[in-house]
Amino acid sequence: MVKFTFTGGIHPDDGKRLSKDKPIKEYLPKGDLIYPLSQHIGAPAKPIVQKGDKVLAGQKIAEADGYVSAPIYASVSGTVKAIEQRRVVTGDGVMSIVVENDQEYNEVIFQQPKPVEVLLPEDIIKLIQEAGVVGMGGAGFPTHVKLSPKEPEKIEFVVVNCAECEPYLTSDYRRMMEEPEKLIEGLKIILRLFPNARGILAVEDNKQDCIKLLRKITQPEEKISVVSLKTKYPQGSERHLIYAVTGRAINSSMLPADVGCVVNNVDTVVSVYHAVKEGKPVMHRVVTVTGDCIKEPCNYMVRIGTNYGELIEASGGFVKEPEKIVSGGPMMGFALFDVNVPATKTSSALLCLSKDEVSASKQTACINCGRCVEVCPGRVVPSRLAVLADRGEKEAFEKMNGMECCECGCCSYICPAKRQLTQSIKSMRRMILADRKKK
């Protein structure tokens, strides 16, 4: 069997055994729900409710503020308690709508859209936009923008990122195993936007049961295929996924559409299904709660705005005190100093670890071993770029192709000197991007 892959990458212990066999369970929140107005790339949403207003689950509470933005919907019924700054997983204070949960979970009556077969492409895009669908793999880019390239007829591949290469995460795997029909139907909806495209479900080969299931379901579909990717991190990175399945290369200044591709995450495609087939906005997502400190690792169907602390409690709490808690996976997630933060559209996991290996490691001088270069999927020289970043040499950093780093963390993981290469490079990239924005 051909295994599609790319050059570089690593294969850390994936930790998926803790939760991969745990079916998705619906979790009903107990406390207040927090809805940050910025859960996506682009302009924050604008509140359309006020303190004291009664809301229903599925009711729009904030509208998109521009084209590159996304509306937000209440996921429970209750009363708007406040509109104020609240802490999110990155540690930032973000203006948020706070809803006091009435525990009744009354929903609006969703308007059934017309059959997909009679919808025009612009109708489908409008439904996706109105539902507040964004990239739910972590990027949070508004999906209606991604699905609206200037020349849709030039799109040849719609790739569904089913890799889930980040260690410990199993939310996409459980979604594929339990609701594969919704995933396929969502992909077929997206394919209606691109007359010359075929769909590709790209799955890592450590999910053989998933590959077998998806191939069985897609057997009658002439325009959809399932490919087996080599299990390797960061196989799910957009650039490297495109290269693995199509052989087409893009750099940091290009978009997937420039090489005839559109890439979407599993949960995003399922959200497209709910928006277009059922008229339902984004109110839920699947979150993996896992790690060696969690008593009962699990995959939950979580209502957007649910407090992370509640999910830990629902999983039996801690069997031992964690040294590190991460929102997301260990490679690209955000370390938390407080679990009293809300799950958002881009929340995929809550990882609780008994050992903080990064803090415990002692950083020493670079030994020029070249391992960071060997594993770098961006084909740059992380050890040199980190030095330039620490010195603040922006021009030299750009000349050495520092902007081609995808911030995957492979170099920091493999470095025997325990240098925080990714952190230095990431900080410099942020400064350069901020400078470009000012100009």
PDB file of all heavy atoms in Angstrom, residues 2-6 203-206 228-233 235:
ATOM      1  N   VAL A   2       0.555   2.199  -0.883  1.00  0.00           N
ATOM      2  CA  VAL A   2       1.298   3.449  -0.933  1.00  0.00           C
ATOM      3  C   VAL A   2       0.981   4.280   0.305  1.00  0.00           C
ATOM      4  O   VAL A   2      -0.172   4.432   0.683  1.00  0.00           O
ATOM      5  CB  VAL A   2       0.934   4.249  -2.207  1.00  0.00           C
ATOM      6  CG1 VAL A   2       1.642   5.599  -2.198  1.00  0.00           C
ATOM      7  CG2 VAL A   2       1.310   3.462  -3.449  1.00  0.00           C
ATOM      8  N   LYS A   3       2.020   4.804   0.941  1.00  0.00           N
ATOM      9  CA  LYS A   3       1.822   5.674   2.094  1.00  0.00           C
ATOM     10  C   LYS A   3       2.309   7.079   1.730  1.00  0.00           C
ATOM     11  O   LYS A   3       3.481   7.280   1.450  1.00  0.00           O
ATOM     12  CB  LYS A   3       2.576   5.134   3.307  1.00  0.00           C
ATOM     13  CG  LYS A   3       2.012   3.825   3.834  1.00  0.00           C
ATOM     14  CD  LYS A   3       2.792   3.342   5.034  1.00  0.00           C
ATOM     15  CE  LYS A   3       2.265   1.994   5.528  1.00  0.00           C
ATOM     16  NZ  LYS A   3       3.047   1.469   6.650  1.00  0.00           N
ATOM     17  N   PHE A   4       1.408   8.004   1.719  1.00  0.00           N
ATOM     18  CA  PHE A   4       1.728   9.372   1.340  1.00  0.00           C
ATOM     19  C   PHE A   4       2.364  10.097   2.520  1.00  0.00           C
ATOM     20  O   PHE A   4       1.909   9.987   3.647  1.00  0.00           O
ATOM     21  CB  PHE A   4       0.452  10.088   0.908  1.00  0.00           C
ATOM     22  CG  PHE A   4      -0.221   9.467  -0.280  1.00  0.00           C
ATOM     23  CD1 PHE A   4      -1.059   8.371  -0.143  1.00  0.00           C
ATOM     24  CD2 PHE A   4       0.004   9.972  -1.548  1.00  0.00           C
ATOM     25  CE1 PHE A   4      -1.685   7.795  -1.239  1.00  0.00           C
ATOM     26  CE2 PHE A   4      -0.616   9.411  -2.656  1.00  0.00           C
ATOM     27  CZ  PHE A   4      -1.452   8.315  -2.502  1.00  0.00           C
ATOM     28  N   THR A   5       3.424  10.873   2.235  1.00  0.00           N
ATOM     29  CA  THR A   5       4.107  11.564   3.318  1.00  0.00           C
ATOM     30  C   THR A   5       4.916  12.745   2.785  1.00  0.00           C
ATOM     31  O   THR A   5       4.739  13.176   1.640  1.00  0.00           O
ATOM     32  CB  THR A   5       5.001  10.586   4.102  1.00  0.00           C
ATOM     33  OG1 THR A   5       5.466  11.240   5.289  1.00  0.00           O
ATOM     34  CG2 THR A   5       6.169  10.083   3.280  1.00  0.00           C
ATOM     35  N   PHE A   6       5.822  13.264   3.599  1.00  0.00           N
ATOM     36  CA  PHE A   6       6.643  14.415   3.263  1.00  0.00           C
ATOM     37  C   PHE A   6       8.023  14.211   3.887  1.00  0.00           C
ATOM     38  O   PHE A   6       8.244  13.260   4.644  1.00  0.00           O
ATOM     39  CB  PHE A   6       6.002  15.701   3.813  1.00  0.00           C
ATOM     40  CG  PHE A   6       5.831  15.676   5.312  1.00  0.00           C
ATOM     41  CD1 PHE A   6       6.774  16.254   6.150  1.00  0.00           C
ATOM     42  CD2 PHE A   6       4.741  15.042   5.892  1.00  0.00           C
ATOM     43  CE1 PHE A   6       6.625  16.200   7.529  1.00  0.00           C
ATOM     44  CE2 PHE A   6       4.587  14.984   7.268  1.00  0.00           C
ATOM     45  CZ  PHE A   6       5.531  15.565   8.091  1.00  0.00           C
ATOM     46  N   VAL A 203      -6.079  10.032   5.796  1.00  0.00           N
ATOM     47  CA  VAL A 203      -6.069   9.453   7.141  1.00  0.00           C
ATOM     48  C   VAL A 203      -4.716   8.797   7.418  1.00  0.00           C
ATOM     49  O   VAL A 203      -4.184   8.075   6.562  1.00  0.00           O
ATOM     50  CB  VAL A 203      -7.174   8.375   7.290  1.00  0.00           C
ATOM     51  CG1 VAL A 203      -7.351   7.977   8.751  1.00  0.00           C
ATOM     52  CG2 VAL A 203      -8.491   8.850   6.701  1.00  0.00           C
ATOM     53  N   GLU A 204      -4.161   9.040   8.611  1.00  0.00           N
ATOM     54  CA  GLU A 204      -2.898   8.374   8.972  1.00  0.00           C
ATOM     55  C   GLU A 204      -3.110   6.870   9.127  1.00  0.00           C
ATOM     56  O   GLU A 204      -4.180   6.415   9.538  1.00  0.00           O
ATOM     57  CB  GLU A 204      -2.342   8.954  10.274  1.00  0.00           C
ATOM     58  CG  GLU A 204      -1.618  10.273  10.079  1.00  0.00           C
ATOM     59  CD  GLU A 204      -0.775  10.657  11.279  1.00  0.00           C
ATOM     60  OE1 GLU A 204      -1.207  10.412  12.420  1.00  0.00           O
ATOM     61  OE2 GLU A 204       0.322  11.219  11.084  1.00  0.00           O
ATOM     62  N   ASP A 205      -2.070   6.092   8.810  1.00  0.00           N
ATOM     63  CA  ASP A 205      -2.220   4.636   8.783  1.00  0.00           C
ATOM     64  C   ASP A 205      -2.228   3.980  10.165  1.00  0.00           C
ATOM     65  O   ASP A 205      -2.274   2.749  10.262  1.00  0.00           O
ATOM     66  CB  ASP A 205      -1.156   3.990   7.893  1.00  0.00           C
ATOM     67  CG  ASP A 205       0.263   4.217   8.396  1.00  0.00           C
ATOM     68  OD1 ASP A 205       0.442   4.858   9.451  1.00  0.00           O
ATOM     69  OD2 ASP A 205       1.204   3.745   7.730  1.00  0.00           O
ATOM     70  N   ASN A 206      -2.222   4.781  11.238  1.00  0.00           N
ATOM     71  CA  ASN A 206      -2.438   4.198  12.569  1.00  0.00           C
ATOM     72  C   ASN A 206      -3.934   4.096  12.877  1.00  0.00           C
ATOM     73  O   ASN A 206      -4.321   3.721  13.982  1.00  0.00           O
ATOM     74  CB  ASN A 206      -1.726   5.019  13.657  1.00  0.00           C
ATOM     75  CG  ASN A 206      -2.227   6.457  13.744  1.00  0.00           C
ATOM     76  OD1 ASN A 206      -3.004   6.920  12.907  1.00  0.00           O
ATOM     77  ND2 ASN A 206      -1.774   7.179  14.752  1.00  0.00           N
ATOM     78  N   SER A 228      -4.097   6.611   2.518  1.00  0.00           N
ATOM     79  CA  SER A 228      -3.442   6.242   3.769  1.00  0.00           C
ATOM     80  C   SER A 228      -2.131   7.002   3.900  1.00  0.00           C
ATOM     81  O   SER A 228      -1.201   6.799   3.116  1.00  0.00           O
ATOM     82  CB  SER A 228      -3.180   4.727   3.778  1.00  0.00           C
ATOM     83  OG  SER A 228      -2.435   4.353   4.913  1.00  0.00           O
ATOM     84  N   LEU A 229      -2.060   7.881   4.883  1.00  0.00           N
ATOM     85  CA  LEU A 229      -0.859   8.676   5.129  1.00  0.00           C
ATOM     86  C   LEU A 229       0.091   7.938   6.077  1.00  0.00           C
ATOM     87  O   LEU A 229      -0.363   7.218   6.969  1.00  0.00           O
ATOM     88  CB  LEU A 229      -1.221  10.011   5.769  1.00  0.00           C
ATOM     89  CG  LEU A 229      -2.202  10.927   5.038  1.00  0.00           C
ATOM     90  CD1 LEU A 229      -2.631  12.057   5.965  1.00  0.00           C
ATOM     91  CD2 LEU A 229      -1.580  11.484   3.783  1.00  0.00           C
ATOM     92  N   LYS A 230       1.369   8.142   5.909  1.00  0.00           N
ATOM     93  CA  LYS A 230       2.326   7.601   6.867  1.00  0.00           C
ATOM     94  C   LYS A 230       2.127   8.308   8.206  1.00  0.00           C
ATOM     95  O   LYS A 230       1.993   9.532   8.262  1.00  0.00           O
ATOM     96  CB  LYS A 230       3.762   7.800   6.379  1.00  0.00           C
ATOM     97  CG  LYS A 230       4.802   7.172   7.283  1.00  0.00           C
ATOM     98  CD  LYS A 230       6.196   7.317   6.702  1.00  0.00           C
ATOM     99  CE  LYS A 230       7.233   6.683   7.632  1.00  0.00           C
ATOM    100  NZ  LYS A 230       8.602   6.789   7.095  1.00  0.00           N
ATOM    101  N   THR A 231       2.095   7.534   9.282  1.00  0.00           N
ATOM    102  CA  THR A 231       1.906   8.127  10.608  1.00  0.00           C
ATOM    103  C   THR A 231       3.161   8.881  11.019  1.00  0.00           C
ATOM    104  O   THR A 231       4.210   8.281  11.269  1.00  0.00           O
ATOM    105  CB  THR A 231       1.581   7.038  11.644  1.00  0.00           C
ATOM    106  OG1 THR A 231       0.366   6.388  11.266  1.00  0.00           O
ATOM    107  CG2 THR A 231       1.419   7.634  13.029  1.00  0.00           C
ATOM    108  N   LYS A 232       3.040  10.193  11.049  1.00  0.00           N
ATOM    109  CA  LYS A 232       4.194  11.039  11.353  1.00  0.00           C
ATOM    110  C   LYS A 232       3.697  12.445  11.635  1.00  0.00           C
ATOM    111  O   LYS A 232       2.767  12.928  10.990  1.00  0.00           O
ATOM    112  CB  LYS A 232       5.169  11.034  10.163  1.00  0.00           C
ATOM    113  CG  LYS A 232       6.433  11.834  10.377  1.00  0.00           C
ATOM    114  CD  LYS A 232       7.473  11.568   9.289  1.00  0.00           C
ATOM    115  CE  LYS A 232       7.000  11.956   7.915  1.00  0.00           C
ATOM    116  NZ  LYS A 232       8.098  11.892   6.925  1.00  0.00           N
ATOM    117  N   TYR A 233       4.283  13.101  12.615  1.00  0.00           N
ATOM    118  CA  TYR A 233       3.934  14.487  12.938  1.00  0.00           C
ATOM    119  C   TYR A 233       4.881  15.413  12.191  1.00  0.00           C
ATOM    120  O   TYR A 233       6.086  15.128  12.137  1.00  0.00           O
ATOM    121  CB  TYR A 233       4.052  14.707  14.455  1.00  0.00           C
ATOM    122  CG  TYR A 233       3.803  16.138  14.875  1.00  0.00           C
ATOM    123  CD1 TYR A 233       2.518  16.593  15.105  1.00  0.00           C
ATOM    124  CD2 TYR A 233       4.857  17.022  14.992  1.00  0.00           C
ATOM    125  CE1 TYR A 233       2.297  17.908  15.449  1.00  0.00           C
ATOM    126  CE2 TYR A 233       4.640  18.343  15.338  1.00  0.00           C
ATOM    127  CZ  TYR A 233       3.366  18.779  15.562  1.00  0.00           C
ATOM    128  OH  TYR A 233       3.132  20.082  15.896  1.00  0.00           O
ATOM    129  N   GLN A 235       2.013  15.522  10.005  1.00  0.00           N
ATOM    130  CA  GLN A 235       1.364  15.086   8.775  1.00  0.00           C
ATOM    131  C   GLN A 235       0.105  15.892   8.473  1.00  0.00           C
ATOM    132  O   GLN A 235      -0.279  16.047   7.310  1.00  0.00           O
ATOM    133  CB  GLN A 235       1.018  13.599   8.903  1.00  0.00           C
ATOM    134  CG  GLN A 235       0.516  12.941   7.639  1.00  0.00           C
ATOM    135  CD  GLN A 235       1.586  12.745   6.581  1.00  0.00           C
ATOM    136  OE1 GLN A 235       1.695  13.550   5.666  1.00  0.00           O
ATOM    137  NE2 GLN A 235       2.386  11.709   6.716  1.00  0.00           N
TER     138      GLN A 235
END
